Amino acid sequence: MPHLASTRKASSSFAIHQASPQAIKATATASAVSDLVVLERLDAIYKAIQPAPVLDRAIRLPEVLDIVGVSKSTWYARLNPSSPSYDPRAPQPFKLGTTAGSPSAWWLSATMGYVQACANAQAGN
């Protein structure tokens, strides 16, 4: 039996060597198309399992104060341009409604950016 197996191997090897250049090119093209299809499917799967991007959210004063770590009066002093404690890097609030009595909010990303800017300024000193 070993002789038969080696004969089969030799004959298949012989068939590959006897293939025309056009047949080899067609096989390679089909293989490339197959590889492209597989890559496209893998890309679609990868995109499907990626987490949704984190959307920014509005936060209210108590959470801002908790993140920044200062009192309410200190925070508002940092927001007031006429105060000696004014910090132009501090994010300004926006209204959640159209009236003057509407609650104020800050963007979480702006608040976190402010804290990072303060930390970077400390690291630079």
Side-chain angles (χ1 to χ4, degrees), residues 17-44:
H17 290 289
Q18 293 299 318
S20 69
Q22 292 83 10
I24 293 171
K25 186 175 182 181
T27 303
T29 303
S31 177
V33 169
S34 175
D35 290 347
L36 184 60
V37 169
V38 169
L39 287 174
E40 287 173 349
R41 290 179 68 195
L42 286 172
D43 188 49

Side-chain angles (χ1 to χ4, degrees), residues 40-64:
E40 287 173 349
R41 290 179 68 195
L42 286 172
D43 188 49
I45 292 169
Y46 176 76
K47 287 177 182 174
I49 63 172
Q50 289 299 307
V54 176
L55 300 176
D56 207 1
R57 66 183 183 94
I59 57 174
R60 299 288 305 277
L61 182 62
E63 192 170 352
V64 171

Side-chain angles (χ1 to χ4, degrees), residues 61 64-65 68 70-94 104-106 111 114:
L61 182 62
V64 171
L65 298 177
V68 177
V70 297
S71 68
K72 183 177 176 179
S73 59
T74 300
W75 180 244
Y76 278 114
R78 289 184 183 180
L79 297 175
N80 184 356
S82 60
S83 169
S85 299
Y86 175 66
D87 188 348
R89 300 172 302 173
Q92 294 297 313
F94 59 92
S104 295
W106 289 259
T111 306
Y114 172 71

